[in-house]
Amino acid sequence: MCFRFQQSLKNYGVNDVDVFQTVDLWEKKDIAQVTTTLFALGRTVSLTTAQHARRHHPITQMRTVKRFETLPSNVGSDG
């Protein structure tokens, strides 16, 4: 189960160096590394969510549309 969790973290975008080893959790060898992994997951989720919000925010989409609506009428013409 732990391996699947670690693989899922990597697939989601958490850096390999931030992912704890199984022994760190199960044998309580390095709980600080487990904590680091959870913080890294939080950062990754936060960044991913922020990027998604910027791309799909209604105001951003409206600005993009307005930018194209305000182009001068001679743009793209040969004259």
Side-chain angles (χ1 to χ4, degrees):
M1 169 151 156
C2 197
F3 174 75
R4 287 193 340 214
F5 179 72
Q6 292 164 316
Q7 192 59 45
S8 296
L9 290 169
K10 293 174 187 178
N11 291 343
Y12 195 74
V14 176
N15 290 331
D16 287 342
V17 296
D18 291 328
V19 177
F20 64 87
Q21 299 297 312
T22 304
V23 71
D24 294 338
L25 179 62
W26 290 110
E27 296 180 11
K28 300 177 185 163
K29 296 280 185 181
D30 192 356
I31 296 300
Q33 183 60 40
V34 176
T35 305
T36 299
T37 299
L38 295 176
F39 279 116
L41 175 61
R43 276 192 314 273
T44 303
V45 168
S46 178
L47 291 172
T48 303
T49 304
Q51 290 169 353
H52 177 77
R54 265 185 263 132
R55 280 195 304 263
H56 299 287
H57 193 277
I59 299 290
T60 305
Q61 291 175 347
M62 205 165 34
R63 286 182 186 151
T64 303
V65 170
K66 286 187 177 190
R67 223 178 284 140
F68 288 112
E69 289 175 352
T70 59
L71 289 174
S73 58
N74 64 348
V75 170
S77 66
D78 292 335

